[in-house]
Amino acid sequence: MEINNINGEWEQKALFNELVQARELVKKLRTHLDKSSPAGEVILENAIASLDRALSTTTRSGWDVPQSQLTTRIINASESPRSKNGSPRSDDSDLHSTDMKIQPTWTEKVSVGSGAGIEGSSNDCYSWRKYGQKDILGAKHPRSYYRCTYRNNQGCLATRQVQRSSEDPSVFNVTYRGKHSCLQASHLQSKQKQHRYQNQDHSEEGLFENFGKGLRIKTEDGLANSQKLSSSSSSQSFSFPCSSSMPADCVKMENCSFSPLDGNYFLSSYHVQLNGGDTKTIHASDHQSDFDDTVLLDLVEFNPYCSFENFQL
DNA sequence: AGCATTTGACCCAT
DNA sequence: ATGGGTCAAATGCT
């Protein structure tokens, strides 16, 4: 029973990823479309619309999927630092040896701003306890091992490994293994569903209805989970694929408009809540001075269990 | 005092 | 023999 549930959710994630990828590929294909063929344009638009509806359906149906599946996340059911797990021992070794083989494993690449020495503390909203660190052969940086804080008193077997990338020190490879069975999982999931419900009346139709709800905008010294995007220096606004339904305690956007041409939202001003609670209003015309033609948009890993109240800037 | 982190040692798969 | 994952005592922090 439990195995079926895990596999079912995993298949949902895999299918969701495929839908996201298909949509992006179709959009890329559109840029190569022969402009003299309006029929082809219509077909592609219909294909994109169909994929949007399919993705929107998955989010409305409460699938346990990453909802801001943009570019930073890699999910691979077979991917694991070692396909065979190490050597769990002690009194719960039997539990491990059977469970670990069917435990879903996925890896995220978490990009952090320069100088942010937070050792890949991705804001997945779970409490982790570090239990080990190892120097890995051929890697410049050690790998840290974390387990769920509630492993002992709630028997939660979720673990994660964090390792700074050798190629790009600003990137952490975070490998999650196992699903949380602790109380914080159900608590965060219920809060996330509540948040989704509260936004339904204000959200736009289609794919972006639930996308980007956790999107934050950060300055250069921002912390985890940020991804650099270039803002258009020739425009008075910059764009990113997200919804305007933002958590008010993170970033408030104004003058947001939707472009049906490329599926992007444009905004000309927004508020950023900085460390310490100060709120700063940024206008599009300020981009050059404030961000030196780049802004850090947090393509927030929309962990299905994540509570927006826990986000920090 | 209680909890989290560090780190050397141990275990097991390859 | 080696490398990766985990344990657990020592240490640090609040």
Side-chain angles (χ1 to χ4, degrees):
Chain A
M1 180 75 88
E2 180 63 17
I3 296 175
N4 289 335
N5 286 340
I6 291 174
N7 289 343
E9 289 174 8
W10 204 243
E11 286 171 3
Q12 287 181 356
K13 286 184 178 180
L15 179 55
F16 181 85
N17 286 335
E18 292 299 326
L19 287 170
V20 170
Q21 192 165 14
R23 184 182 183 280
E24 293 307 309
L25 289 173
V26 171
K27 288 183 73 173
K28 284 182 181 175
L29 180 62
R30 184 172 55 183
T31 65
H32 299 290
L33 188 68
D34 182 1
K35 302 299 181 186
S36 65
S37 172
E41 175 86 23
V42 171
I43 292 172
L44 281 181
E45 291 298 335
N46 287 337
I48 293 173
S50 293
L51 289 165
D52 282 356
R53 284 193 295 272
L55 285 161
S56 184
T57 299
T58 65
T59 55
R60 282 202 198 94
S61 302
W63 278 27
D64 185 15
V65 294
Q67 306 207 6
S68 65
Q69 178 67 294
L70 297 176
T71 59
T72 60
R73 188 174 199 183
I74 297 173
I75 294 183
N76 185 340
S78 62
E79 184 175 347
S80 171
R82 292 186 71 181
S83 57
K84 302 271 197 293
N85 285 294
S87 42
R89 60 182 187 192
S90 78
D91 49 352
D92 58 353
S93 60
D94 288 342
L95 184 62
H96 272 256
S97 60
T98 52
D99 273 8
M100 296 289 263
K101 290 177 183 174
I102 60 170
Q103 295 234 354
T105 302
W106 69 96
T107 299
E108 294 181 16
K109 289 185 183 297
V110 178
S111 177
V112 300
S114 57
I118 46 113
E119 195 68 20
S121 61
S122 67
N123 44 16
D124 55 23
C125 301
Y126 285 105
S127 297
W128 298 99
R129 178 169 180 169
K130 189 173 183 177
Y131 65 87
Q133 179 171 307
K134 286 280 290 188
D135 289 323
I136 301 301
L137 189 70
K140 290 181 181 177
H141 307 284
R143 177 179 300 166
S144 297
Y145 299 88
Y146 298 83
R147 66 165 61 104
C148 178
T149 302
Y150 305 102
R151 176 193 174 98
N152 291 335
N153 54 9
Q154 294 179 29
C156 181
L157 296 177
T159 64
R160 75 168 183 177
Q161 300 173 1
V162 179
Q163 185 169 16
R164 189 184 285 266
S165 170
S166 298
E167 295 80 25
D168 185 355
S170 68
V171 172
F172 286 88
N173 294 317
V174 184
T175 299
Y176 293 88
R177 180 182 296 155
K179 187 177 176 65
H180 282 273
S181 59
C182 52
L183 290 177
Q184 61 177 342
S186 58
H187 172 68
L188 292 173
Q189 190 167 31
S190 64
K191 293 193 80 173
Q192 189 266 333
K193 284 179 179 176
Q194 181 183 6
H195 181 87
R196 189 183 305 170
Y197 175 78
Q198 288 172 343
N199 276 278
Q200 267 185 339
D201 291 340
H202 310 94
S203 58
E204 285 76 10
E205 290 290 324
L207 167 66
F208 299 110
E209 175 177 87
N210 289 308
F211 271 21
K213 281 182 178 174
L215 186 142
R216 290 174 294 169
I217 300 173
K218 291 181 175 179
T219 54
E220 192 64 45
D221 59 349
L223 299 179
N225 256 8
S226 296
Q227 172 162 338
K228 236 178 202 176
L229 295 180
S230 292
S231 64
S232 169
S233 57
S234 62
S235 170
Q236 283 296 299
S237 64
F238 68 96
S239 64
F240 52 87
C242 77
S243 162
S244 63
S245 53
M246 305 287 287
D249 51 342
C250 293
V251 176
K252 183 179 179 182
M253 296 159 55
E254 291 179 341
N255 303 323
C256 186
S257 60
F258 176 70
S259 167
L261 289 178
D262 57 6
N264 283 332
Y265 284 86
F266 294 85
L267 69 159
S268 55
S269 67
Y270 52 90
H271 302 309
V272 181
Q273 186 176 359
L274 303 171
N275 287 330
D278 294 332
T279 300
K280 185 176 185 179
T281 300
I282 305 294
H283 297 279
S285 55
D286 295 328
H287 287 166
Q288 292 287 345
S289 57
D290 277 288
F291 296 106
D292 192 27
D293 201 33
T294 61
V295 292
L296 290 177
L297 294 184
D298 188 6
L299 303 179
V300 162
E301 153 58 33
F302 190 84
N303 188 299
Y305 306 128
C306 199
S307 161
F308 293 120
E309 288 84 353
N310 291 339
F311 285 161
Q312 292 179 353
L313 287 168

